[in-house]
Structure formats: C-alpha cells, structure tokens
C-alpha cells in the first residue's frame, strides 16, 4: 500500500492544515452562496416552472 492509498490524519480532518482553506465545508459554502445570491443571472433552467425539455 502506498502513502496515497492510506488515509492520513490531515486528510481525514479535511483542509485544516492548509492556510487559507476552511476546515469546515460550511465555512466555504457560505461565501460562495452569498456570491451566488448577489451575482447569479436569471437563467431559464433555474426557474421553478422549467422542466427538463424546456431547459434542453
């Protein structure tokens, strides 16, 4: 087994040891969702009434 195949303590903890990278996924999701709320374009397939064929 190589070191790539074995889980490490840092890998199991996520990105906790990397500077500038959030350890908890929610810490990353929050700013991305805030950006999306502010900058998202109105696209037809994002509307609730859009079906699969209408989007395609």
């Amino acid at each position: 087994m190589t070191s790539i195949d074995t889980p490490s303590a840092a890998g199991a903890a996520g990105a906790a040891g990397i500077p500038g990278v959030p350890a908890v996924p929610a810490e990353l999701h929050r700013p991305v969702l805030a950006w999306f709320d502010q900058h998202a374009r109105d696209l037809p397939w994002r509307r609730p009434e859009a079906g699969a064929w209408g989007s395609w």
Side-chain angles (χ1 to χ4, degrees):
M1 207 184 221
T2 66
S3 61
I4 295 173
D5 296 332
T6 58
S8 66
I18 302 172
V21 176
V24 181
E27 293 175 14
L28 177 62
H29 295 170
R30 198 171 301 114
V32 171
L33 292 174
W35 179 90
F36 183 83
D37 288 341
Q38 186 177 1
H39 298 285
R41 296 185 304 168
D42 181 28
L43 300 173
W45 53 85
R46 290 187 178 146
R47 296 180 188 144
E49 68 274 4
W53 289 107
S55 298
W56 189 53

